[in-house]
Structure formats: structure tokens, C-alpha cells
Amino acid sequence: MSKAITLETLLSEFARGVRNFRGVNLAGSMFPLVQLSHVDLAGANLQGINWSGADLIKANLANANLQGANLIGADLSGANLTDANLQEALLSGAILVGAYLSRANLQRAVLSGAILKGAVLRDSNLNEVNVVGADLSEADLRGAIARRRDLEEAKLSGATLPNGEVVFDAEELEEIPVASTVERTAAMATATETTVLEWTNEQVIEKLILQQHPLPSSCQSADLKVVHLDNHCYQLRTANDTVVAMVEGASVAEETVTVFSEAPFADLVASVLQALSFLPTQYIPEPIPAWQYEQVPIPAGSEVRFGTARQLWKAWWLLLKSTATGQELSQLEPLQLLVGKSWQPICDIAFSPSASGGVIIKTPTGDRPYSADALLTWLESVRSGAPTTPSPVPTPTTSLWNGVLKFEKNCLTIQTAAGPVYVRGENLTVTLGGQTIDLNQL
């Protein structure tokens, strides 16, 4: 039989060093970003909890009831979830690296964007589970209830499938050089005596992008050449006339560079563009996959990051977590998302409630939904190397306690699973998890 306990009591005991809370009943409790690493909640009733973004590193949740739990973005690295009931649990973006989930019931759970690298899921129930964009690389799925075609929506490099088959990425296979391409390139390099191949590939790309036109006829390398189409339009082609990129615009400030993603030397063009402050602003999937680049000013003290929406959420979560635990970096600036050619401060990032996963990025100009694997560009602030005075420990923001605590007219309202609790009086003080809460900010 589970033991009744309030989350506030558990946190108070946890702050004093207690870790054993086996079999407790915390069903329906709400505490985003709760810090409970190494806690022992084996056999606990945690049905319907909202512990999104929680720190549950190496927590013991064996045989726990987590049905319908909201653990979006929670860190469960190395956690023991053996025999746990995770039916319909929300684990989008959760970190389960090296977690133990043998015989766990994950039926209809949402694992979109979750990281389960090296996790053990032997004999687990993965029937109807959503693993779109999840990372199951090197995971052990032997004996699990799952269909191969459903699992293929996740990254499976090095994973052992339910039937014992090990998945290998195509990238791990040895690449076979194509002799004809090499021969053709060499032939172009010495095709005629009038072609002067004095430029490197990088120089040809840079001269094209920086509008050093008209280009001399000798401005080509052994691999790349420039073709002038009209007044303000140029193509970058390979020696055998495969189009790599197109440059349009009367000046560098107005220039749009389209890079065809699957063309040879596309990665080289992209690296030169980024060195010249050109950033990807639009993806064009059809008829030929391509990225459009434009010159975007980069604020001083910031670094450009490229990655998926899931990776951006992780950066945001780490920033939010450091703020909530009083470890905010000195002179920290908010993350900024590239929208078109402008930077938009990120106000919040939430996971989409849809079964397909994804995130919703909130900016001053509105909410922007993205799939978990959408490629985005954002800014992160760079810390100065100079020593700084440590910042005072900040009071947790109102959003952390929204829906849990409310203070009005000398009355503190605490929402619990059993109903609201009212505490009245003057000069009330509240300590939660060893941390004093400023009631005036609730």
C-alpha cells in the first residue's frame, strides 16, 4: 500500500539528505524542474504527475506507476525504470541515456525527440509508442514488443532490435571511390593550355560571393568555375557543369545565395558563406533540395548555433535550469532565433501537445511551431573572460509556481492533489526544497 505524503514534505526531507521514499503516493503532483537526482521512488504512485524538465538523474523508479506522467524534457540519465508503468507517459525530449527500462510498459507513450542512447529496453512493451525523431542508437531492444517499421522513425545506429539484429548506419560502411569522377576532374585541370588554374576552390567561391565582378576568365579552379547568366545572376558549377550554387543580387547586402544541398562542394560553399556572415534563412525542399543564404549581422558577444529544434530546446532548458537553481551566468542574454533576416528574442519554448511531438517557440512576434528535427539558427551569448562579481541567488520566477502557489491579501493558497490549502497570517515565510520563496512575487 502506498504511503501518503505531500511533495513539499518530500522536498523538505530531500533537502536534509533523505533519499529513500519508496512506495510513496505523489499522484497528480505538479513541480516542473524539480531537482531529485539519485532519489529512490521504487514502487511509488506517480500517476499523472507533471515533473517536466525534472532532474531525475540515476533515480530509482523501478516498478513505479508513471501512467500518464508528464516528464517532457526530464533528465533521466542512468535512471532505473525496470518494470515501471509508463503507459501514455509524455517523454518528448527527455534524456534517458543509459537508462534501464527492461520490462517497462511504454504502450502509447510519447518519446518523440527523446534521447535513449545506450538505454536497455529488453522485453519492454513499445506497442503504439511514438519514437519520431528519438535517438535509440546503441540501445538494447531485445525481446521488446515493437514493429520494425515503427522503430525506423527513430535513430537506430548500433541498436539491437527485438529479434537480435544490429542496425548499422550507411555512414559506417566503407566509402568506395568513384574512379570516373577523379579521372574527369584531372582531365579538366589540363584540358587546354589557355585555362589558367591559379585559384583554389575557396578563392573562387569567395570572389563570387563578394561581388568581385566581372571575374577574370582565369578565375576558376580545377574543380569549380563561375558562369554569368545575366546582369546580377551567376552560377557556381563544377568542372563537368553540375550547378553547385546560384548568386543573385546587385550588391552583397542584397545578395541571395542558393546552395543545392546534394551537389558536390555544397559543404565547402556553406563554410565559406558562414565565414562571410551569410546564414541560412530558408530551406527549399523542391524541386531540388537547397538552402538560401543571406548576409545577416551578428551582434557582438554572440555566437551563431545551428541545429535541430530539439537541440535548441535543450540549450533553452539548460539556461532555464541554471536560472532556476541560482546558477545564472553573469551578463547572460536570452537566446535569439533567426527569423528571416532578423533575430527574435526567445521568450519560451514548449513542447507541442500533438502526438507527433515538436516544439513551439514563443517570440515577441508570435508563436512559431516546428517539428523536432527542423533545422534552425540561433544566437547564444558568449561569456567574457574577465572575472566578474558573483550574481546574487535569484528568486524563482512566478512561472515555476504558477498553478501551485498563490499569495493574495495575506493568504497563501497551496494547490494539492487533495484540494487547495489556505494559510492566513502576517509575515508568512515559505521554504521549498531548502530555498526561500519571495511571496510578493507569486
Side-chain angles (χ1 to χ4, degrees):
M1 182 176 179
S2 59
K3 299 174 287 187
I5 186 175
T6 65
L7 182 58
E8 290 76 12
T9 299
L10 183 148
L11 291 172
S12 177
E13 292 294 304
F14 186 86
R16 294 195 305 115
V18 179
R19 294 295 180 266
N20 186 353
F21 299 98
R22 292 187 167 215
V24 298
N25 185 356
L26 292 167
S29 63
M30 296 187 298
F31 201 116
L33 300 175
V34 65
Q35 307 285 307
L36 289 172
S37 62
H38 297 83
V39 71
D40 188 349
L41 288 165
N45 181 5
L46 305 173
Q47 185 174 1
I49 61 169
N50 180 355
W51 290 4
S52 54
D55 180 352
L56 293 165
I57 296 173
K58 293 191 176 180
N60 183 10
L61 295 160
N63 203 34
N65 182 5
L66 288 151
Q67 184 174 3
N70 180 351
L71 293 168
I72 291 174
D75 192 343
L76 290 145
S77 301
N80 181 10
L81 289 149
T82 304
D83 295 307
N85 180 6
L86 288 154
Q87 279 185 292
E88 301 176 348
L90 301 177
L91 290 152
S92 297
I95 303 171
L96 291 143
V97 175
Y100 297 89
L101 293 131
S102 296
R103 299 181 302 281
N105 187 354
L106 287 150
Q107 188 174 18
R108 293 186 298 278
V110 179
L111 286 163
S112 55
I115 303 173
L116 296 105
K117 187 171 184 178
V120 178
L121 294 112
R122 287 192 183 186
D123 303 313
S124 58
N125 185 351
L126 299 173
N127 190 29
E128 299 181 73
V129 69
N130 180 348
V131 292
V132 176
D135 185 352
L136 284 163
S137 57
E138 301 175 27
D140 186 350
L141 295 153
R142 281 176 285 184
I145 301 172
R147 297 178 301 181
R148 170 74 182 256
R149 65 175 179 269
D150 293 334
L151 292 176
E152 285 179 343
E153 295 178 314
K155 181 180 179 182
L156 293 169
S157 174
T160 306
L161 298 182
N163 62 358
E165 175 189 354
V166 179
V167 179
F168 292 99
D169 265 354
E171 298 173 357
E172 297 172 5
L173 301 176
E174 186 175 354
E175 196 172 310
I176 303 174
V178 182
S180 60
T181 304
V182 176
E183 292 168 3
R184 187 177 302 158
T185 303
M188 282 298 300
T190 58
T192 67
E193 295 180 358
T194 56
T195 302
V196 182
L197 302 175
E198 58 185 83
W199 305 99
T200 65
N201 293 337
E202 291 84 352
Q203 287 173 324
V204 172
I205 297 168
E206 185 174 328
K207 287 180 177 293
L208 173 63
I209 294 169
L210 293 180
Q211 298 275 352
Q212 294 180 2
H213 309 147
L215 295 170
S217 58
S218 61
C219 186
Q220 68 179 73
S221 66
D223 306 306
L224 299 173
K225 61 183 179 181
V226 175
V227 176
H228 186 195
L229 300 181
D230 56 37
N231 289 338
H232 304 299
C233 184
Y234 292 80
Q235 282 185 348
L236 180 69
R237 297 183 183 178
T238 64
N240 58 355
D241 284 322
T242 299
V243 179
V244 180
M246 182 177 294
V247 178
E248 299 174 271
S251 66
V252 175
E254 300 172 356
E255 199 170 74
T256 299
V257 182
T258 304
V259 181
F260 299 99
S261 309
E262 299 176 359
F265 304 101
D267 291 343
L268 178 61
V269 176
S271 65
V272 174
L273 283 166
Q274 291 168 25
L276 299 173
S277 297
F278 279 77
L279 300 178
T281 56
Q282 184 180 358
Y283 179 65
I284 305 170
E286 295 178 350
I288 302 174
W291 276 100
Q292 280 192 351
Y293 284 75
E294 295 177 86
Q295 196 169 50
V296 178
I298 300 172
S302 299
E303 282 190 1
V304 179
R305 306 293 188 198
F306 303 98
T308 63
R310 181 171 66 249
Q311 291 169 322
L312 171 56
W313 177 87
K314 184 176 180 180
W316 170 260
W317 175 67
L318 291 173
L319 175 66
L320 185 65
K321 185 176 178 180
S322 68
T323 303
T325 57
Q327 298 172 355
E328 186 174 12
L329 299 177
S330 172
Q331 299 178 343
L332 193 63
E333 297 294 334
L335 303 182
Q336 297 184 60
L337 177 69
L338 181 61
V339 180
K341 291 184 65 174
S342 64
W343 298 105
Q344 293 289 330
I346 297 175
C347 304
D348 194 12
I349 302 180
F351 276 91
S352 171
S354 65
S356 60
V359 299
I360 299 173
I361 301 178
K362 300 178 183 295
T363 69
T365 58
D367 295 353
R368 301 179 181 278
Y370 297 97
S371 67
D373 292 319
L375 296 174
L376 302 176
T377 304
W378 68 91
L379 284 180
E380 292 184 13
S381 61
V382 180
R383 292 182 65 191
S384 172
T388 56
T389 305
S391 301
V393 176
T395 303
T397 57
T398 305
S399 60
L400 288 174
W401 319 112
N402 187 26
V404 180
L405 301 178
K406 182 180 179 182
F407 185 68
E408 192 175 38
K409 296 181 180 179
N410 290 333
C411 178
L412 176 66
T413 304
I414 307 170
Q415 295 292 341
T416 71
V421 175
Y422 302 100
V423 181
R424 295 182 174 85
E426 297 182 0
N427 301 320
L428 294 175
T429 59
V430 175
T431 303
L432 192 55
Q435 186 175 9
T436 302
I437 299 173
D438 186 353
L439 297 179
N440 293 322
Q441 293 196 14
L442 295 175

